[in-house]
Amino acid sequence: MNREGSPRNLGAASDFVGKNALEVIGRKRDGLEHKPEEIQFLLSGYVRGEIPDYQMAAWLMAVCIRGMTPAETLALTQAMIASGEVLDLSGIPGIKVDKHSTGGVGDKVTLIAAPLAAACGVKVPKLSGRALAHTGGTLDKLESVPGLTVDLSPERFIQQVREVGIAVAAQSPRIVPADKLLYALRDVTATVPSVPLIASSVMSKKIAAGADAIVLDVKFGRGAVMPDVAAAVELAREMVTLGEGAGRRTVALVTAMDNPLGLMVGNALEVTEALDALDGRGDEELLEVSIRVAREMCELAGVEVDPSEVLRSGAGRTTFERMLAAQGGHLERGLPEAPVKVAVASERAGFVAGIDALEIGLAAAEIGVGRLRKEDKVDPAAGLHIHAHVGMQVRKGEPLVTVHARSAELVDRVRDRIRNAWRFSDQEVRRPPHVLARVDRNGVTY
Ligand code: URA
């Protein structure tokens, strides 16, 4: 170790602070702990355009390999928040609760749990994202409702939460601008899967979004960023620590994303599935996890109402419809429907042992549910309706799924990928548990 930034040529590690980007990168390369001012220097310099992408990318890779201490992750989160504006929600009375998922395939829990919690009396100001890689985005799903906008001014956003109890809107580019820059760079430098980088990315946005409490859904498995339950628990702990450290009550559920969630993958299709769930119908696992998330939101808000009862009363659906209408949506005009609907049949008989969520997410993105390139437009009607979910028995020739697409050519392009996503067993299969752990300020419960 005799290069710039190494302790040997630049003094004792304990009091040394890197004075330029090269030194700061070198310190992380050598496994030393950053001082908060080094992180602040690096991040603010990058946002101002004074530190180039190649130096930031080198530092990000060093972080991926060396990791970060809790103090470093906190400093990074604070520097990210300080790069932009923080939303002031004091105009909304009561405890405001946000909800966030780290991203999945068929994950429409926000569309069910958030209005359900609002119907229970929780104030839900929620800023959401768009489809990313193979994972869906709440904003794209909502925009499949004719006329609906997710671009709300802060005044309109606050007013809607006051009146309806919930608003789901796009994040202003003025909130945590550092994350947009950093995420784009991480996406193309293989530096996304890092616990401190993900935790600071998510929590800086959640903290800057201004809610008093946050419920996190941290996913693991084939269709998620985290590979296994242990990694997801580690990420959940880090995020809970950051949230609680910022004075926000934070609870995380660790959930499985090996198989798609629910029966629909696609923007309008998932809105339909959410409406059905709010009527108490549909996939049991989806209903269960949505009620669980809504219950956590109620508990953090101190609202003593049972979300299952509220669901049965129909109030959750009414609140969802009021939210859609308040954002300009016209459900009565009907959701967009794909011109082509083609069933993909099973080539064998058996019990469905698994459906590869990553392959399903990639196939969905290819037919227009998400974007293959940044400039692509999503197809609101495209998607997959799963008929043979995990645990079900199918006969040869029975449909596994119906593909909704713009053209038959698109279906042909993804047919094999979709069919190969199914795994079968000759023995009966039980659906695996969906919620594996819960993390709060007192620790982890399994
Ligand atoms: N979602 C985010 O917002 N940031 C990450 O780093 C990963 C997932």
Side-chain angles (χ1 to χ4, degrees):
M1 261 202 327
N2 207 13
R3 301 175 52 192
E4 64 289 338
S6 70
R8 207 179 306 160
N9 65 0
L10 286 164
S14 60
D15 52 33
F16 174 78
V17 177
K19 301 287 190 299
N20 58 46
L22 212 58
E23 289 177 357
V24 176
I25 299 164
R27 282 173 55 72
K28 185 42 74 184
R29 176 200 64 211
D30 294 341
L32 300 173
E33 185 178 22
H34 284 313
K35 293 274 172 356
E37 49 273 42
E38 289 178 317
I39 293 173
Q40 175 63 36
F41 160 78
L42 205 62
L43 205 77
S44 58
Y46 182 60
V47 171
R48 283 197 302 270
E50 292 161 10
I51 290 175
D53 277 351
Y54 57 81
Q55 287 192 318
M56 204 60 190
W59 181 77
L60 289 169
M61 187 54 84
V63 169
C64 273
I65 294 166
R66 291 291 194 177
M68 275 186 148
T69 63
E72 286 178 311
T73 311
L74 176 63
L76 177 59
T77 308
Q78 286 169 339
M80 304 260 282
I81 295 169
S83 73
E85 293 174 4
V86 174
L87 220 66
D88 176 7
L89 299 179
S90 58
I92 305 168
I95 297 174
K96 279 78 69 181
V97 186
D98 201 346
K99 181 259 167 194
H100 181 84
S101 155
T102 55
V105 178
D107 179 7
K108 69 285 293 172
V109 171
T110 290
L111 302 183
I112 306 161
L116 190 54
C120 293
V122 182
K123 296 286 185 242
V124 188
K126 166 122 184 68
L127 299 180
S128 280
R130 295 196 177 275
L132 199 64
H134 64 281
T135 64
T138 298
L139 298 182
D140 295 319
K141 293 170 200 186
L142 285 173
E143 279 179 345
S144 68
V145 177
L148 184 136
T149 181
V150 293
D151 294 316
L152 307 180
S153 67
E155 296 74 28
R156 185 171 165 192
F157 181 72
I158 288 168
Q159 185 67 16
Q160 187 179 315
V161 179
R162 287 177 67 106
E163 288 173 10
V164 184
I166 177 170
V168 181
Q171 182 172 306
S172 149
R174 293 191 299 275
I175 292 178
V176 198
D179 183 63
K180 203 170 164 74
L181 294 172
L182 222 54
Y183 198 91
L185 188 61
R186 288 169 58 208
D187 211 19
V188 293
T189 56
T191 53
V192 170
S194 149
V195 165
L197 294 180
I198 298 173
S200 55
S201 164
V202 171
M203 292 312 289
S204 59
K205 288 177 285 192
K206 290 291 108 185
I207 293 163
D212 305 297
I214 303 156
V215 176
L216 300 165
D217 181 354
V218 183
K219 300 198 174 292
F220 70 91
R222 278 287 291 164
V225 185
M226 290 292 118
D228 52 42
V229 67
V233 167
E234 188 193 345
L235 177 62
R237 291 181 89 125
E238 193 97 34
M239 293 203 286
V240 167
T241 303
L242 288 171
E244 292 284 343
R248 317 297 166 91
R249 290 297 319 280
T250 308
V251 170
L253 298 177
V254 174
T255 65
M257 190 28 78
D258 285 312
N259 307 300
L261 184 55
L263 302 177
M264 304 287 192
V265 178
N267 296 306
L269 288 173
E270 290 190 44
V271 172
T272 304
E273 190 174 19
L275 286 162
D276 282 349
L278 286 165
D279 281 336
R281 287 181 286 143
D283 186 64
E284 255 175 49
E285 182 175 271
L286 175 65
L287 265 172
E288 262 174 42
V289 70
S290 301
I291 290 169
R292 177 82 191 264
V293 168
R295 186 163 289 131
E296 297 286 357
M297 293 173 79
C298 287
E299 276 175 21
L300 287 178
V303 168
E304 287 176 15
V305 176
D306 180 358
S308 328
E309 277 173 27
V310 173
L311 184 99
R312 274 194 292 277
S313 77
R317 176 165 176 142
T318 306
T319 301
F320 188 41
E321 287 180 357
R322 284 186 66 210
M323 179 197 105
L324 298 178
Q327 294 185 213
H330 288 278
L331 256 190
E332 75 286 357
R333 289 188 198 154
L335 293 167
E337 272 206 41
V340 173
K341 294 176 192 167
V342 179
V344 175
S346 179
E347 287 180 328
R348 57 161 288 180
F351 295 91
V352 179
I355 309 170
D356 188 320
L358 176 60
E359 290 298 317
I360 293 296
L362 290 171
E366 194 156 346
I367 59 170
V369 172
R371 298 168 186 80
L372 297 180
R373 289 166 310 177
K374 231 162 60 179
E375 58 278 13
D376 286 349
K377 273 197 149 169
V378 300
D379 177 350
L384 309 173
H385 179 173
I386 294 168
H387 305 297
H389 217 308
V390 178
M392 286 174 65
Q393 188 175 18
V394 284
R395 285 193 285 260
K396 190 174 170 189
E398 280 186 341
L400 298 174
V401 62
T402 300
V403 184
H404 294 228
R406 224 171 20 247
S407 69
E409 290 74 44
L410 273 177
V411 180
D412 287 341
R413 219 188 283 170
V414 295
R415 191 191 306 271
D416 283 347
R417 189 190 272 279
I418 290 173
R419 194 177 266 137
N420 293 337
W422 261 259
R423 275 190 304 107
F424 293 93
S425 164
D426 292 330
Q427 267 87 51
E428 231 175 276
V429 174
R430 278 241 193 129
R431 230 164 148 175
H434 183 66
V435 181
L436 273 288
R438 178 184 184 278
V439 182
D440 67 11
R441 59 186 175 184
N442 300 315
V444 188
T445 43
Y446 290 93

